[in-house]
């Protein structure tokens, strides 16, 4: 390149390496995507019991904090409004159990510490709102206030009681499966049902029976295992509430047939379903609840949700 008098050099990318600006732009896009691939962290959704475990162990074991820092270098940890709903439940029980308000503040503080205020949230801009991951977002305190400070405690009480009648009905129904004189219901025996693998449970006679006998208020047709099979890849292109309905039905079906279900706590399944819905947005779901671990693995596998479920063992 030769310059004349009073000319200013304006070097193009072609002058530098013999390629067009378009070529360089394409290369920049590729390099950007490669950097994003390596820089972007995988996401972890934590069950509420991970929070309580962290609270109970951090001060007594310094390795817990060190371990958390190592994890955060590779992963982003997320919570959701479902965590605040469970905190709201604790606040609701404060008077009955004489719980100090400091306990509520402690839950919030440790949840912030665990997640850096990362939250899975529904964008409510349109009826086609979708689940999004918000990092270190101002949404955390906003959602906390909405759930805890407003009518959250009463709302959670109402939600917890919605499915109690159905859970009690199927619990009684399963009890007859243990009676030798009721051999036609043997396939509902919870021990036998829970022995089925997470990949096969939705093809079992117990699940087929539950689906045939159950009507869903928000669904016009019968929910069947065939309808739910790999439905996630279709649901991600539709309004979020459709996926909510499908995962809720799948979780309830397993609860009704006694698949690793918590029969002693008829409120727990409601919160488990909320966590299952939000957790499906992340790469990994971590829980200390062995029963939820099996149910969630089965549901995610059958619906085609790519989230991997892990059970955190140990003290």
């Amino acid at each position: 390149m030769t310059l004349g008098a009073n000319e200013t050099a304006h070097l193009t990318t072609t002058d530098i390496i013999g390629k067009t600006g378009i070529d360089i732009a394409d290369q920049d896009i590729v390099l950007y995507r490669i950097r994003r691939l390596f820089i972007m962290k995988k996401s972890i959704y934590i069950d509420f019991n991970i929070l309580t475990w962290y609270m109970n162990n951090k001060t007594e074991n310094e390795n817990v904090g060190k371990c958390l820092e190592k994890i955060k270098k590779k992963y982003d940890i997320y919570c959701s409004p479902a965590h605040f709903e469970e905190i709201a439940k604790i606040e609701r029980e404060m008077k009955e159990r004489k719980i100090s308000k400091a306990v509520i503040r402690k839950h919030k503080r440790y949840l912030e510490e665990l997640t850096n205020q990362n939250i899975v949230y529904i964008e409510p801009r349109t009826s086609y709102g979708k689940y999004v991951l918000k990092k270190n977002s101002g949404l955390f305190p906003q959602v906390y206030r909405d759930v805890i400070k407003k009518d959250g405690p009463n709302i959670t009480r109402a939600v917890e009681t919605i499915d109690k009648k159905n859970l009690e009905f199927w619990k009684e129904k399963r009890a007859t499966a243990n009676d030798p004189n009721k051999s036609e219901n043997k396939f509902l025996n919870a021990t036998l049902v829970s022995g089925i693998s997470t990949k096969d449970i939705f093809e079992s006679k117990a699940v087929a029976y539950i689906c045939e006998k159950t009507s869903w208020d928000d669904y016009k047709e019968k929910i069947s295992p065939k309808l739910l099979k790999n439905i996630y890849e279709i649901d991600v292109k539709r309004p979020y509430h459709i996926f909510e309905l499908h995962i809720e039905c799948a979780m309830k079906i397993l609860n009704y047939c006694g698949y690793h279900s918590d029969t002693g706590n008829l409120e727990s399944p409601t919160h488990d379903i909320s966590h299952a819905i939000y957790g499906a947005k992340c790469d990994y779901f971590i829980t200390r609840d062995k029963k939820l671990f099996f149910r969630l693995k089965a549901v995610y596998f059958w619906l085609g949700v790519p989230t991997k479920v892990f059970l955190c063992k140990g003290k």
Side-chain angles (χ1 to χ4, degrees):
M1 181 177 180
T2 305
L3 293 179
N6 299 321
E7 287 183 335
T8 305
H10 297 286
L11 296 180
T12 67
T13 52
T14 305
D15 295 320
I16 299 171
I17 59 172
K19 293 187 178 181
T20 67
I22 294 175
D23 290 333
I24 295 299
D26 287 341
Q27 284 184 348
D28 287 343
I29 291 172
V30 172
L31 289 172
Y32 171 77
R33 288 176 176 170
I34 291 173
R35 284 197 299 271
R36 290 282 293 173
L37 182 64
F38 285 99
I39 294 172
M40 189 178 291
K41 296 178 181 179
K42 293 284 188 179
S43 55
I44 293 176
Y45 184 91
I46 55 168
D47 196 3
F48 193 78
N49 50 56
I50 298 294
L51 169 62
T52 54
W53 172 84
Y54 180 71
M55 289 172 56
N56 294 334
N57 286 275
K58 188 196 172 184
T59 54
E60 296 179 7
N61 188 345
E62 62 179 14
N63 290 328
V64 171
K66 292 178 181 178
C67 180
L68 176 63
E69 293 309 313
K70 287 182 180 180
I71 291 173
K72 284 184 176 181
K73 287 180 180 179
K74 293 185 178 181
Y75 305 95
D76 287 321
I77 301 175
Y78 285 83
C79 65
S80 75
H83 290 81
F84 302 144
E85 290 167 5
E86 295 213 51
I87 295 175
K89 179 183 177 182
I90 296 172
E91 181 165 344
R92 189 183 76 214
E93 297 172 345
M94 279 196 311
K95 292 182 180 179
E96 301 170 9
R97 296 166 52 189
K98 298 181 180 179
I99 299 173
S100 166
K101 284 191 175 182
V103 173
I104 305 299
R105 293 192 293 270
K106 183 179 179 182
H107 276 80
K108 179 176 180 287
R109 185 175 75 253
Y110 276 88
L111 189 59
E112 287 179 319
E113 191 174 298
L114 264 174
T115 65
N116 291 339
Q117 294 196 355
N118 298 335
I119 187 169
V120 184
Y121 189 65
I122 302 170
E123 283 190 325
R125 284 183 256 179
T126 68
S127 59
Y128 282 76
K130 58 183 180 179
Y131 289 97
V132 293
L133 301 180
K134 294 288 188 179
K135 289 186 63 175
N136 195 16
S137 170
L139 277 172
F140 184 100
Q142 175 188 324
V143 176
Y144 179 84
R145 285 193 301 270
D146 288 344
V147 176
I148 305 296
K149 300 299 181 183
K150 292 186 178 179
D151 206 29
N154 293 327
I155 291 173
T156 53
R157 185 197 298 272
V159 169
E160 286 165 358
T161 58
I162 287 174
D163 205 40
K164 272 189 176 181
K165 286 186 178 179
N166 288 330
L167 289 167
E168 288 170 348
F169 171 82
W170 285 109
K171 185 178 179 180
E172 291 176 8
K173 191 80 172 176
R174 292 196 308 271
T176 64
N178 300 322
D179 187 342
N181 298 320
K182 302 283 185 179
S183 57
E184 69 273 14
N185 289 334
K186 186 177 179 181
F187 60 88
L188 286 177
N189 181 287
T191 302
L192 295 177
V193 170
S194 296
I196 302 173
S197 74
T198 55
K199 293 184 178 181
D200 297 329
I201 183 59
F202 277 95
E203 297 181 277
S204 69
K205 188 176 180 180
V207 165
Y209 181 79
I210 297 291
C211 291
E212 178 61 30
K213 299 295 182 180
T214 304
S215 296
W216 307 94
D217 294 337
D218 297 323
Y219 216 80
K220 295 179 181 179
E221 57 183 304
K222 291 282 186 182
I223 291 286
S224 68
K226 184 178 179 180
L227 183 148
L228 294 173
K229 180 67 173 174
N230 292 323
I231 195 70
Y232 180 75
E233 53 189 62
I234 299 173
D235 282 349
V236 291
K237 302 170 186 175
R238 302 194 288 191
Y240 73 89
H241 66 268
I242 297 177
F243 172 67
E244 276 189 322
L245 177 61
H246 287 148
I247 202 165
E248 178 182 353
C249 290
M251 291 287 287
K252 285 182 176 179
I253 287 166
L254 295 189
N255 286 332
Y256 294 166
C257 69
Y259 189 69
H260 296 281
S261 63
D262 188 357
T263 56
N265 185 353
L266 298 181
E267 295 177 357
S268 178
T270 302
H271 296 293
D272 290 346
I273 291 170
S274 295
H275 286 298
I277 292 169
Y278 288 109
K281 183 63 182 175
C282 293
D283 297 299
Y284 306 104
F285 187 111
I286 299 180
T287 181
R288 292 180 61 80
D289 184 339
K290 190 175 182 179
K291 293 178 180 179
L292 175 61
F293 167 74
F294 283 108
R295 292 200 307 275
L296 201 53
K297 278 198 73 170
V299 168
Y300 281 176
F301 170 78
W302 192 254
L303 271 63
V305 178
T307 304
K308 304 297 181 186
V309 186
F310 290 94
L311 179 65
C312 181
K313 300 179 180 179
K315 296 180 180 180

